[in-house]
């Protein structure tokens, strides 16, 4: 038996989503790269070519760079996208609340107006 | 199964009285013990099979077996009950002596304890009709898909002689996602199969027809580590003559030569399933292996080879971030039927919108021939998933489609509203590797009427009928009861678990209601105004439902398949449903 490394099962470092490599949907409404895909990427009859067509290539390219493609981000029914958007929303909220992340001029304005602009911004966020 | 050829088995000195561990009886053996067998006169090779274990993990005492004073071999005995085989010689009265290199003392038990022996029997290898599991296999366990045995790092398997002219079919589940777990299969020391194992359950096919008859083998048998070696019954002259007779099939040759030695295979893994992923199970675990079968369908064998080769390549291309692939997907979505029997459609269904999107393709025929025409896209698929906006059970060629997919070894996933169960559709589903997702979403007729119609009780009674029928057919199809948490049914989650228990469902599926930005879907049904936007739960509410479902799953012993976790890899040791 060989010695084991830390991620010996290979469960880490997988793409954000594996569907565009492992799955393919040939449906009457069109070709979909996954079961949560919002818009078809090609008509049903083009199943033989759409597998390596420009739309799927772009989706794979984004995922291989650790990002979600515009196609994925428009497929709001996807639980991966939902989680991603929820996380992003939370990050934005935290960033808005954190004085360190604000630009210098905004901090200055804030100080001049006793923090009123930040309070208005936060209430709008809510 | 092979006939036990023991007339009488007498336990001599060294054995304690029979006990019971809650599953089956066993006997403790001390440092030394003997027993006497009275064997029927029989030709050919015989083995004595001892199923033994002990409760002193991680120790592995060594058991030495002597038959009529001659040493037959030595084995390390694992704690979990396992099979140990020794070559048996002699006829009539045979005395078997067993000795252990060490014994143990349990607290509060004054006895000197060695190993627990569950059973001892004699096997005539020439009468073997099905696989005989030797060392390296644990007992059968109940799995999510089918029963299986865990294999250790190395294991031995005997196959009937008649299996030479065909292919061995093995469902195997590996915990390695990265395909770094490799299974080698050896016959008389020669590697006849080497598979990088795919993640979780997949079928593998091994060509046995290429094996030369063992009596002719010029390969050296495995160095004796107590393993059985091939017999050498044929004299060289016969050997030469027979080799020249190419027109004769090997099986015929062997029956003429009077030999029908079974195929002995050694399975070896390069890596185990690491113990840190199963700390509560201290056994040496390698892979799970389902029921092994045999076939003679060359096309099926080629299909499986293609599937395996493609799946390996597909993983490699994904990990390399390739955007143009030479491999094909391992999961194929299809669109079987475009019409539905629930009219008006279910309140949340986007049926009408989809029919507009389908346009002229709405009337395209998709059947078994269509699937065959997908060529490598169909051949490469492990799973075929129906995603039609239409009820698949209404398809006029439903039986033929399922028959075709089953004959090609595909797992078919079907979502159904459960309103098209007839004697015909039930018969078509039975005994096939099908995951049937039944969309009920309600545990009462009242809630069901708010989502669909008045047919709740009829569906439940059909599901009970289907469950009774599938029990006679290896528990297939698998029944997964779908529950989409929405405001309309949120109060019925626990009741839905009870319903799953009644139906004896394999799992409850938590499926998200499709998120739509501005759905603008409102419909009055069953005295309830279904407003799509209001039915969607917030992330916080969803988290609550999931944790409640996990709790209820433990209470009602119904597994939960959580589709909110789409895209996540299953926890090691667990099958992703």
């Amino acid at each position: 038996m060989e010695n084991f490394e830390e991620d010996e099962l290979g469960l880490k470092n997988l793409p954000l989503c594996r569907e565009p490599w492992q799955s393919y949907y040939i449906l009457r409404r069109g070709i979909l790269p996954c079961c949560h895909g919002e818009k078809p990427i090609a008509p049903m009859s083009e199943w033989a070519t759409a597998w390596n067509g420009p739309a799927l290539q772009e989706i794979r390219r984004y995922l291989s760079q650790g990002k979600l493609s515009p196609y994925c981000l428009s497929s709001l029914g996807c639980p991966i996208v939902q989680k991603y958007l929820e996380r992003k929303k939370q990050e934005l909220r935290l960033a808005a609340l954190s004085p360190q992340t604000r630009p210098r001029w905004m901090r200055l304005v804030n100080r001049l107006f006793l923090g009123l602009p930040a309070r208005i911004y936060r209430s709008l966020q809510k | 199964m092979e006939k036990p050829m023991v007339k009488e088995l007498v336990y001599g000195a060294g054995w304690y009285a029979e006990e019971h561990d809650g599953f089956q009886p066993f006997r403790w053996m001390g440092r030394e013990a003997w027993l006497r067998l009275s064997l029927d006169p029989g030709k050919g090779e015989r083995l004595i099979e001892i199923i033994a274990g002990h409760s002193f993990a991680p120790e592995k005492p060594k058991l030495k077996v002597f038959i009529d004073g001659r040493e037959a071999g030595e084995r390390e005995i694992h704690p979990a009950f396992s099979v140990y085989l020794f070559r048996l010689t002699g006829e009539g009265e045979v005395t078997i002596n067993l000795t252990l290199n060490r014994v143990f003392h349990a607290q509060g038990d004054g006895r000197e304890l060695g190993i627990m022996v569950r059973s001892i029997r004699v096997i005539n290898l020439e009468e073997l009709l099905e696989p005989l599991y030797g060392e390296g296999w644990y007992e059968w366990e109940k799995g999510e898909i089918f029963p299986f045995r865990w294999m250790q790092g190395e294991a031995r398997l005997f196959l009937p002689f008649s299996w030479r002219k065909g292919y061995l079919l093995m469902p195997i589940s590996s915990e390695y996602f990265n395909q770094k777990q490799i299974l080698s299969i050896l016959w008389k020391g020669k590697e006849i199969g080497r598979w990088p194992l795919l993640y979780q359950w997949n079928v593998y096919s091994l060509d046995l027809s290429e094996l030369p008859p063992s009596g002719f083998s010029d390969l050296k048998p495995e160095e004796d580590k107590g393993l059985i070696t091939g017999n050498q019954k044929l004299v060289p002259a016969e050997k030469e003559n027979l080799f020249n007779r190419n027109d004769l099939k090997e099986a015929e040759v062997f029956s003429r030569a009077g030999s029908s030695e079974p195929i002995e295979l050694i399975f070896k893994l390069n890596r185990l399933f690491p113990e840190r992923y199963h700390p509560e199970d201290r056994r040496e675990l390698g892979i799970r292996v389902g029921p092994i079968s045999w076939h003679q369908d060359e096309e099926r064998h080629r299909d499986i080879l293609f599937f395996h080769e493609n799946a390996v390549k597909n993983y490699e291309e994904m990990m390399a971030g390739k955007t143009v692939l030479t491999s094909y997907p391992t999961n194929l979505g299809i669109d079987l039927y475009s019409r539905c029997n629930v009219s008006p459609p279910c309140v949340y269904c986007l049926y009408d919108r989809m029919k507009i999107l389908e346009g002229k393709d709405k009337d395209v025929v998709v059947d078994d021939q269509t699937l065959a025409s997908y060529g490598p896209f169909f051949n490469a698929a492990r799973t075929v998933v129906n995603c039609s906006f239409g009820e698949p059970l209404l398809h006029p060629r439903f039986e033929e489609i399922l028959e075709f997919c089953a004959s090609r070894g595909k797992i078919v996933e079907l979502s159904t509203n459960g309103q098209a169960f007839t004697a015909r559709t039930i018969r078509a589903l039975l005994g096939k590797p099908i995951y049937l997702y039944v969309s009920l979403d309600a545990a009462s007729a009242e809630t069901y009427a708010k989502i669909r119609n008045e047919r709740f009780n009829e569906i439940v009674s059909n599901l009970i009928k289907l469950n009774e029928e599938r029990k006679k057919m290896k528990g297939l199809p698998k029944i997964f009861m779908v529950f989409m948490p929405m405001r309309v049914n949120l109060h019925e989650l626990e009741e839905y678990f009870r319903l799953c228990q009644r139906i004896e469902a394999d799992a409850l599926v938590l499926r998200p209601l499709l998120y739509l930005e501005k759905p603008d879907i409102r419909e009055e049904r069953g005295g309830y105004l279904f407003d799509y936007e209001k039915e969607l739960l917030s992330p916080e509410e969803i988290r609550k439902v999931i944790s409640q479902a996990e709790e209820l799953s433990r209470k009602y012993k119904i597994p939960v398949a959580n589709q909110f976790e789409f895209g996540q890899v299953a926890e090691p040791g667990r099958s992703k449903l």
Side-chain angles (χ1 to χ4, degrees), chain A residues 1-29 34-36 38 40 43-45 47-48 51-52 56-57 60-61 64 76-80 82-83 86, chain B residues 153 175-178 180 269-272 274 276-277 314 318-319 321-325 327 329-338 354 358 361-362 364 366 373-374 377 387 389 514-515 517 539 543 564 566-569 572:
Chain A
M1 302 281 161
E2 293 168 21
N3 285 331
F4 297 127
E5 61 268 30
E6 204 204 318
D7 180 28
E8 62 267 54
L9 302 181
L11 303 175
K12 293 173 189 166
N13 303 320
L14 293 170
L16 209 51
C17 174
R18 304 183 299 279
E19 287 290 288
W21 285 273
Q22 297 181 334
S23 298
Y24 193 55
Y25 291 79
I26 307 172
L27 309 178
R28 286 185 173 81
R29 52 191 183 275
C34 85
C35 58
H36 295 291
E38 185 99 338
M44 187 188 200
S45 56
W47 57 267
W51 175 239
N52 276 322
L56 252 169
Q57 282 190 50
R60 290 181 191 133
R61 187 168 54 250
S64 64
L76 296 174
C78 169
I80 296 174
Q82 280 292 313
K83 274 183 198 157
E86 203 195 329
Chain B
E175 295 298 330
Y176 282 77
F177 201 99
N178 53 14
K180 282 190 179 170
L269 288 169
N270 65 333
R271 292 171 176 224
L272 291 172
R276 71 185 170 101
Y277 296 106
N314 185 257
M318 178 180 75
M319 294 312 284
K322 298 258 179 193
T323 56
V324 176
L325 311 186
S327 65
T330 53
N331 178 42
L332 180 67
I334 57 164
D335 193 333
L336 281 182
Y337 202 59
S338 68
M354 287 303 148
E358 287 174 5
D361 285 342
K362 183 166 63 93
V364 166
V366 177
S373 76
Y374 291 153
F377 285 90
C387 299
F389 273 83
L514 181 70
Y515 179 84
E517 190 102 276
R543 274 193 285 274
F564 286 90
F566 172 75
Q568 286 182 29
V569 181

Side-chain angles (χ1 to χ4, degrees), chain B residues 334-337 365-371 378 384 392 395-408 410 412 414 428 432 434:
Chain B
I334 57 164
D335 193 333
L336 281 182
Y337 202 59
V365 174
V366 177
D367 59 15
D368 40 327
Q369 282 175 21
T370 319
L371 300 185
F378 181 77
V384 174
H395 198 295
R397 285 184 66 80
F398 186 62
E399 290 149 290
E400 288 85 351
I401 292 166
L402 295 189
E403 199 55 59
F404 174 67
C405 290
S407 74
R408 305 291 293 273
K410 307 293 171 199
V412 177
L414 294 172
K432 297 197 183 76
I434 294 167

